[in-house]
Every structure is written in C-alpha cells, then in structure tokens.
Amino acid sequence: MDARGILEGIWKSDLPESLDPMTAKELRQGLRRGVFIYPFLAVQIFALIAIMVEFEIGHDSEATEYAGVLNFWMLANAGAFWIAIAVVCMVLMPLGGMILMGQELEDGNHELLLLTKLTRWKIVIGKFITLWGLTALTFISLLPYVVVRYWIGGIEWTHEAACAGTVLAGSAILCAGAIGASAFKRVFRGVVFTVFVFSMVLSCGISLFFVADVSGGCGRVYHLTAFSAVICYVIIGLALARSRLRLALLAYETKPSSMVIGLMIFAPVVIGGATGATAGWGGLAGFLGVALVAVKMDSVVRPLPRQTRD
C-alpha cells in the first residue's frame, strides 16, 4: 500500500462511521483549534501548581451533608486545585463556544446544512457534544491529580465527587449557553449569555437551596433536582441556538429567538413558584416543565412528512 493509501485509511478510520456527521465535523475542527489545545495544556500546569500550593499551606476538606452537585459555594471554597479546574473547564473552554454558531450563520453555511438530512436539533447537538466532550476530556485528564490528593490525605471522597460533578454539570450548562449566545450578532452575544447565566444561577439557587434545606442535606431529591436543572438549561441554550437557524418566518409567527429569551427571563419565576408552592420540593417539576416548553416552543409543521425538519 502506498503512502496515499495509508493516509486515506487513517482518515477514514479516525472516527466511527456511525457518528453523526455534524459531530464528526466539529470534532475534527475542535481538536485542531487553540480553544482546546491551549486550555488543555494550561490546566495541567495550573493543577500542578495548585497542588503544590495546597500541600505547602495545607488544605483539608471537611465532611458535610451539603456536598452535592451544583453547589457552587462549596466549589469556590474547595481550594486552589478546584478553583483552577473550574476556571478552565467552566469558564475558558465553554466561552470558546461563543464563535461556533456564528461560523455557520454569518457565512450562510446553515442554509446548506439544512438542505441535507441534518435537522436543526442535530446541528446544535453536534456542536454541544463536541464542545462539552472536549471539556470533559480535559477534566478526565486531571483525575490522576484528584487520586493523588485523596491518597495523600485530608480529602473527603464525597467532597471531591461533588466538586467533580459540579464542574461537569456546570460546564455542560455553560457550553449550551455559549452556543446559544453565539447564534446572535457579536454586539449581543455578551448580553444574551449574561441573561442566560443570571437565569440559571437564580433558578438553581432558589430551588436547590430550599430542597437542601427541607431535606436536611444533598440527598436523592437534591440530586434529582440538580440533574433536572442541567437538562433544563442545556435544552434552553440549544433551543436558543436552534431558533436562529430558521430560514423563514410566516407573517403571523413570533420571532422564535425572542420567545426563548423570554422563557429564560421568566424561568426563575416559574421554577421559584413551583418550589415555593410545594414547600421546597417542587423544583424538579419546575425545571422539567420549562425544559418541555423550550423543546416545543419552536416547532415547525410541514405539509409532507418527508419535509419535516424538527
């Protein structure tokens, strides 16, 4: 086999054929972007320095009943190591998604994509899987440091597991929000992303605080509520990006992106109302209800089944 045949074989076998075309495209591009390479290298250096600092000054994590996913207060007080990881995996890498949808919309590539078998959901989900997958890959590369910290002592495994879950869940939410904001013009991206983050923090803060308070800790109900919060805001972020892929609107239709932004603004009211009406237990239902509305908000009805895109 000549060199060309070898290279062609490598190119064809680098990703499984069953992988969604959009995901494969984004993975090939993402692995070559500085958005992944530089943060990946930086977080290794930061983690090593943070561990050395913790061992020098001493840092012990205390066992608590409130060690749970999406407990950002606990993460902020978890020491230099987790702060370094959170900055890279929850801030720097998700913010790299602020350019993803703009590449498709500004050049008109989305029109060509929608002429294929790809649906609007497949386009945005492919971008999300790539962005969050690379973030999760970066985080997984840091697990040896977590093991070292645990075996040396002074670290509670429940505390470490909760911090790990918070980083992964928080990065998923922020990746979806960044992708949604990237579908707008550059002058509006920061505003949309800020509204998204404010809505998420307010909704999660209200519901998770009260469910932890009434249940006496971060137990099953707390984590089910936290999991539903991740699902809710990931769907809202992707629905926002999806709403910008509409090629045309009917005269009587409301602009879909405006409806999703309105949903973001009123989501804390709905979730907070459900939490208050159930004495702190109803945040789960509130999150799932808002997520269902986000899925159904921008449905397109076509006259023929073969032309259905959503």
Side-chain angles (χ1 to χ4, degrees), residues 2-308:
D2 58 5
R4 181 179 179 182
I6 295 175
L7 292 176
E8 185 179 358
I10 294 174
W11 177 81
K12 288 184 177 180
S13 61
D14 60 345
L15 293 171
E17 295 182 359
S18 59
L19 196 63
D20 185 82
M22 195 67 196
T23 305
K25 165 185 170 294
E26 292 296 325
L27 277 175
R28 290 193 178 98
Q29 293 179 349
L31 289 172
R32 293 193 296 265
R33 289 194 188 109
V35 170
F36 168 69
I37 297 173
Y38 295 125
F40 183 88
L41 297 176
V43 76
Q44 308 297 326
I45 299 173
F46 291 159
L48 183 59
I49 295 174
I51 286 182
M52 294 173 63
V53 170
E54 285 187 356
F55 290 162
E56 184 68 24
I57 65 177
H59 177 76
D60 296 333
S61 60
E62 300 179 357
T64 174
E65 295 292 331
Y66 295 96
V69 177
L70 292 184
N71 188 341
F72 295 107
W73 177 260
M74 178 194 67
L75 182 66
N77 293 276
F81 174 76
W82 283 110
I83 291 176
I85 293 177
V87 168
V88 174
C89 293
M90 292 180 58
V91 179
L92 296 181
M93 296 193 73
L95 286 180
M98 295 287 281
I99 64 172
L100 292 182
M101 292 300 298
Q103 295 174 343
E104 311 294 351
L105 294 170
E106 292 174 2
D107 298 331
N109 294 338
H110 68 292
E111 297 179 358
L112 297 176
L113 291 174
L114 292 175
L115 291 176
T116 67
K117 294 182 179 180
L118 292 174
T119 65
R120 293 187 297 157
W121 274 124
K122 286 185 177 181
I123 293 173
V124 297
I125 290 175
K127 291 181 178 293
F128 170 75
I129 291 175
T130 301
L131 183 61
W132 185 63
L134 295 178
T135 303
L137 179 63
T138 302
F139 174 78
I140 291 172
S141 71
L142 299 170
L143 291 181
Y145 297 104
V146 178
V147 175
V148 169
R149 294 172 77 248
Y150 175 77
W151 284 109
I152 288 179
I155 304 298
E156 291 288 338
W157 74 269
T158 54
H159 181 275
E160 298 296 283
C163 288
T166 300
V167 170
L168 289 174
S171 64
I173 293 174
L174 294 178
C175 283
I179 292 172
S182 70
F184 290 80
K185 295 182 180 179
R186 295 182 181 181
V187 292
F188 297 115
R189 290 177 187 175
V191 176
V192 174
F193 187 71
T194 300
V195 173
F196 177 87
V197 172
F198 181 78
S199 174
M200 180 269 295
V201 171
L202 192 58
S203 297
C204 292
I206 293 173
S207 60
L208 296 179
F209 173 82
F210 281 104
V211 73
D213 183 59
V214 298
S215 61
C218 298
R220 292 182 179 179
V221 178
Y222 174 92
H223 282 96
L224 286 174
T225 304
F227 184 65
S228 67
V230 175
I231 293 175
C232 175
Y233 275 91
V234 166
I235 290 177
I236 289 177
L238 297 184
L240 186 60
R242 171 177 173 262
S243 68
R244 300 287 291 179
L245 292 175
R246 288 284 290 269
L247 298 179
L249 287 174
L250 299 177
Y252 58 84
E253 286 185 299
T254 305
K255 198 172 182 180
S257 57
S258 300
M259 293 192 294
V260 180
I261 291 175
L263 180 65
M264 283 195 304
I265 295 174
F266 287 101
V269 177
V270 175
I271 295 167
T275 302
T278 56
W281 297 96
L284 171 64
F287 281 119
L288 294 180
V290 172
L292 181 61
V293 173
V295 170
K296 298 294 185 181
M297 182 169 281
D298 183 24
S299 297
V300 178
V301 178
R302 304 284 185 177
L304 296 176
R306 291 184 180 180
Q307 296 177 347
T308 302

